[in-house]
Amino acid sequence: MSQVGCLIDTLKRQLRAQGKTYADVAQWLGLSEASVKRLFAEKHFTLARLECICDQLNIEFAELVQAMQAEELRPQQLTQAQEQSIVDDRELFLVAVCVVNGYSFDEIHHQYQLSETECTRQLLKLERLKLIELLPGNRIRRRVAANFRWRSGGPIQQFFQTYIANEFFRSRFDGESEQLLVLNGLLSRAGNDEWQQIMQRLAKEFHALCERESSFPLHKRFGTTSVLAVRQWKYALFQDYTRQLDHS
């Protein structure tokens, strides 16, 4: 991503942190909300508009740049060894997933059968793994990037595929908060690449939505898992009937 794109993403996080919306920005800039959404989508701001927004947020433009640079230094993934150490300790795994999803110390302690001492012990392990920083008063500060994700094919993703996937799909997906879409079609390699880019944008939208709602009390939020997957694949049931075509 370009530095301009990173700067705009940092600006969006500053807006969310202060509870501001596109409607607020539209009022500050004297534009329609649709125009502001387009500016953010296209990441196309004049310096004057950026300075205006910073003034309204009571931050210096230089502070915005510093926040962007600090975010760029945060790791987007853990190492293979770090993930393995988390998977090997079930309680540590539970606490790690909680902090990645923005849980506070009290929320972890009250929602799960972990004593305050055990909670603290696991959080200190995560601090040694550089996933978080444990601050006075048991406040948790994540030390990873906003777009943090588990390693592709890494220990945690493998754990999910082995132990959780079957349970996840053991549902009719007809509940109020459930939906399952299975899409099948024919795409070229270029079309497949474009669809994967769309999936990446959806993933960013999901994380942005989680961040926007992070100020809601825990009892108004619930665990939500969305699986986005794509692969060149044919049903094994029909494999014996498939002709082997020459694609050279």
Side-chain angles (χ1 to χ4, degrees):
M1 184 185 298
S2 69
Q3 283 207 315
V4 172
C6 291
L7 189 67
I8 300 305
D9 285 346
T10 303
L11 180 62
K12 287 196 288 187
R13 285 191 289 273
Q14 294 289 333
L15 287 166
R16 287 194 291 269
Q18 296 193 29
K20 303 301 182 183
T21 65
Y22 287 155
D24 293 314
V25 177
Q27 184 177 1
W28 301 337
L29 299 181
L31 299 172
S32 68
E33 188 172 347
S35 296
V36 169
K37 287 181 179 178
R38 187 163 55 252
L39 287 175
F40 275 100
E42 297 175 354
K43 302 184 187 299
H44 184 67
F45 280 83
T46 64
L47 184 58
R49 284 173 172 169
L50 284 174
E51 289 181 331
C52 175
I53 297 172
C54 287
D55 286 344
Q56 293 294 332
L57 294 174
N58 198 29
I59 61 173
E60 297 288 338
F61 182 75
E63 292 179 272
L64 183 66
V65 174
Q66 289 170 357
M68 177 197 72
Q69 292 170 335
E71 181 65 26
E72 288 179 333
L73 292 174
R74 294 184 179 188
Q76 297 179 11
Q77 292 182 331
L78 298 182
T79 66
Q80 184 88 1
Q82 286 172 322
E83 282 200 6
Q84 190 63 56
S85 65
I86 291 174
V87 168
D88 291 341
D89 185 331
R90 196 56 52 88
E91 288 185 358
L92 181 63
F93 194 179
L94 167 64
V95 176
V97 171
C98 285
V99 298
V100 165
N101 287 319
Y103 277 55
S104 69
F105 181 95
D106 287 340
E107 287 169 341
I108 298 171
H109 169 56
H110 289 129
Q111 185 155 333
Y112 298 101
Q113 295 181 26
L114 293 175
S115 67
E116 290 189 8
T117 300
E118 183 59 25
C119 249
T120 302
R121 190 167 73 88
Q122 300 300 348
L123 288 170
L124 288 172
K125 288 183 184 178
L126 294 178
E127 186 173 52
R128 287 194 291 273
L129 290 172
K130 303 187 184 303
L131 185 68
I132 65 162
E133 182 179 358
L134 189 58
L135 302 173
N138 287 325
R139 289 181 296 117
I140 301 168
R141 176 188 293 161
R142 293 194 304 178
R143 297 182 62 184
V144 291
N147 60 344
F148 171 82
R149 64 186 65 186
W150 303 116
R151 298 180 68 85
S152 176
I156 290 179
Q157 191 177 91
Q158 289 180 20
F159 180 91
F160 172 83
Q161 292 171 341
T162 303
Y163 297 101
I164 301 176
N166 287 337
E167 179 181 340
F168 179 84
F169 287 106
R170 198 179 301 136
S171 170
R172 294 171 61 90
F173 289 94
D174 55 2
E176 184 178 316
S177 61
E178 297 179 319
Q179 185 175 133
L180 175 64
L181 295 176
V182 179
L183 309 174
N184 288 293
L186 300 176
L187 290 174
S188 66
R189 181 57 59 85
N192 183 281
D193 289 344
E194 183 177 347
W195 177 241
Q196 291 190 48
Q197 291 172 14
I198 293 171
M199 290 172 62
Q200 290 293 336
R201 291 199 294 271
L202 285 173
K204 289 180 180 179
E205 288 295 325
F206 178 82
H207 290 304
L209 183 58
C210 290
E211 195 169 339
R212 284 202 300 273
E213 295 202 334
S214 62
S215 59
F216 289 13
L218 192 59
H219 70 271
K220 289 190 176 182
R221 293 179 286 156
F222 53 87
T224 301
T225 298
S226 184
V227 178
L228 302 173
V230 63
R231 61 178 293 201
Q232 188 174 342
W233 180 72
K234 294 177 181 177
Y235 292 107
L237 178 65
F238 306 135
Q239 194 65 40
D240 292 343
Y241 298 91
T242 301
R243 293 183 185 274
Q244 298 300 315
L245 300 178
D246 183 4
H247 293 286
S248 59

